[in-house]
Amino acid sequence: MNKSDNKKENTNNTANTSTDKINRIKELVEILNKASKAYYAEDVEIMSNFEYDKLYDELLALEDETGMVLANSPTQNVGYEVVSELPKEKHPAKMLSLDKTKEVDALVSWLGDKKGLLSWKMDGLTVVLTYEGGKLVKAVTRGNGEIGEVITANARTFVNIPASISYKGKLTIRGEAIITYSDFEKINASIVDADAKYKNPRNLCSGSVRQLSSKITAERSVRFYAFSMVEPEDRELLDSFENSFQKRFEYLSSLGFDIVEYMEVTAETLPETVRVFSEKIPDNDFPTDGLVLSFDDTAYGKSLGTTAKFPRDAIAFKWRDEQAETTLRDIEWSPSRTGLINPVAIFDTVELEGTDVSRASLHNITYVRDMKLGIGDRIKVYKANMIIPQLSENLTKSDSVVVPDTCPACGGKTEIKNENGTETLNCINPQCPAKNIKLFSLFVSRNAMNIDGMSEATIERFIGAGILHRLSDIYHLSEHREVIINLEGFGEKSYDKLIKAIDASRKADMASFLYGLGIAGFGVANAKLIVKAYKSDFSAIMNAVPEDLVEIDQVGDVLARDFSAYFKDMDNRAEVERLLSEIEFVIEENTSEQDLEGMTFVITGSLETYPNRDALKKEIEDRGGKVAGSVSAKTTALINNDINSNSSKNKKAKSLGVPIISEEMFKNNQFT
C-alpha cells in the first residue's frame, strides 16, 4: 500500500470515527430528553440520578470534542423568544423551483450518461440556515423565492438541528423543515375538539415554523433535513468536495445534520431505484410529494445554468395524481381585479393527498362547456402536483350550466369575451367593488409594494368608510387617523404599524410598482423584462407602443396591446402620475459600457464560450442592448454559431437581410 492509499484510509477512518461520535451524541440526547420528560412531566423515574449524570457527562465530553451541539441537547439552556412580527429578508440569490415530470423515461433521458443522486422531495417548508464561527446565526424561510421570513429563534428549537458545528467558516445550508406523521398524530391526539385537529403535517409544519413565539415552535417537534449547500466561500472546503454532490451530503452528515435519504443512480439503474423509493412510502414516517434527481457532478450541473423559472442541475419527479369521485353541487362565479369572473366548482368534500377538498377552479367558460358541466353531475377531481385541486373528468355530462348575465359583486352587466378561441366572462362596470378590492390587494402585496397590514378585509373596511377610492389614496391614509383607529379591529398600534409600512413603500422597485398597477395579464417577470428593456426610464415605459414591446422576449401581441392601452387611458395615466408624486424609485446603477444601445439581438442554437443563453443575454442587456425571441426587420443580428444552418430563424434572417453572426463575431463586435 502506498502513502496515498494510507492517507486515504486514515481520512476514511477519521470520518467514520467522527460519524460514530455524532451518532452517539444524537442517541444520548434522545435518551436523556426522554428521561427528563418522564421525570418532570410524567412523574416517572426511568433511570437513576447516577446513570443520568454519567450519560450527561459523556454527552458533554463528546460535544466538546466534536464541536457539534444539537439545539435540543439537555446541555443547552433554551431561551424562548416572542416577536411582534417575522422580519422579511431578501435572499442573496433567487431560490428557483424545480422543473417537474411524472414520467420515469423523462428522468432517464434527463440524466443521460451522467451519474446522479435520487433523493426524497420532502413535503414541508424550505428553510435556509447560515452558520458563522460554528454557530447558527440565521434561518430564513424560502418565502416567494426572492423574499423570505427570518425565523432564527424558531429554528433553534428544531428537534435535530445543530446549534453548533465544528466548521468555523461561513456555511449556508438549504433543507426542508417537516413534522413526522408520528409527531403529527401525537399533537392531534392531545386535541379534544375534532374540528380543531390539524389537517396534515405540512400545514402544521408551515404554521409552526412561522410562529411569533419560539416556545410554540418548540412544542411542535419540527425537524430539519438538509438537501443542498450553497456554494461555500472557503476554496479549500470547496475543493475537498471534488465537484461531487454526494461528498457534500457526506460532509453535512459529518457535521451532524440529518440529510434527505438518497441513492446513487445511472440511466440503467434509475427505473428500479424509483420503484424502491415508491415501495418505501407506506412505511415512511415523513410526508413527501415526490423525488429529486440531481447530477452528482456539481461543476457540470452549474455549467448548465438556469431557465427563467428552473435550475438545470436537478429535476423533480412527481407521483401520479390521486383521484376521487364526487358530486358537483354549485358553480360560484368569482369576480377578480381585472373584471374577469372566474367559475369555481363547489362539490361534496373529498380527501386528496391527506387534505379535505371541496372547491376547484374551472378556469373559463370554454372549460365549463368543454367539460359539459351541470349541477348534480358526478365528477372526478385530483390535485395537480399534489397541491392545486382540478377536475379530471365529468361522468354525467349534463351540460346544463347557465352563465350569469350580471356580476355577483355589483349587479352590473357581464360580457363574454373571446381571446384566441377561449371564452371568458367579464364584468364591464369600471366601478365594481370587487375590482377595486382585488386591485388594492395586488398593489399592497409582497411582490408589488409590499405594504404589511392591508389585508382584503382591511381594504374593504377602508372602502366602506369612504377613505379609499383609488390607489393613490393609500398614501393619504394618515389624514384619516381618527377614522382608522375607531374601525373594528384597529387601534393606535395597528394604525402606526400601517403608516410605517406605507412610508417604507415610498422607496419603490420600479418592476414591483409596475406589476402592482394590475395591468391585465401582466406578471412580475414581464415587469422586470420591460423595466430592463427600457433601462428604468418610466416615461419611456408609459409611452411604449405595441410594436416595440413585442420585441421584448416573452412579451406577446396581446400583452403588448393591453400594456400600451393601459397607459393610453387618461384615467389610468392620471392615477399613475398621482402615485409617482408619492414614491421614489430605487434603481441599481449599471456600470457597463452602453455600446449596444438601440441594438436588438436574437439568440439561437448552442453556445461555445458562454455557459448558457442567459449569460449572453445578460451581457447584451448590461451593455444597453435588447434580446428578442423572434427575428424581425428591427433585429440587429441573429447570433447562431451554425451560420449556414437551414433553421427557421436563419431563413427568416436571410429573407429580411438581418446579419447572422457567430458567438465569436459578437464578441469582436462584428454585427454586420
Side-chain angles (χ1 to χ4, degrees), residues 131 165-173 229-245 247-255 257 298:
Y131 287 78
I165 58 175
S166 58
Y167 179 68
K168 303 306 177 187
K170 183 176 180 180
L171 198 63
T172 303
I173 300 147
M229 180 193 303
V230 175
E231 206 82 339
E233 298 170 358
D234 185 336
R235 176 52 57 181
E236 186 176 344
L237 177 64
L238 185 61
D239 290 343
S240 72
F241 298 145
E242 299 173 2
N243 292 326
S244 169
F245 199 173
K247 287 189 180 294
R248 294 187 183 208
F249 269 145
E250 291 169 352
Y251 181 69
L252 288 176
S253 182
S254 74
L255 291 177
F257 292 95
T298 54

Side-chain angles (χ1 to χ4, degrees), residues 45-79:
E45 188 171 329
I46 60 175
M47 69 169 61
S48 67
N49 287 342
F50 176 80
E51 289 174 304
Y52 184 94
D53 290 343
K54 182 181 176 183
L55 294 177
Y56 184 94
D57 290 342
E58 181 188 353
L59 173 62
L60 205 58
L62 284 170
E63 288 178 342
D64 185 56
E65 184 180 346
T66 63
M68 197 281 281
V69 183
L70 287 172
N72 68 332
S73 171
T75 65
Q76 303 299 297
N77 291 317
V78 178

Side-chain angles (χ1 to χ4, degrees), residues 256-276:
F257 292 95
D258 285 336
I259 58 175
V260 294
E261 181 187 1
Y262 67 88
M263 296 184 190
E264 289 184 46
V265 290
T266 62
E268 290 73 27
T269 63
L270 190 48
E272 173 62 16
T273 310
V274 170
R275 186 190 64 77
V276 171

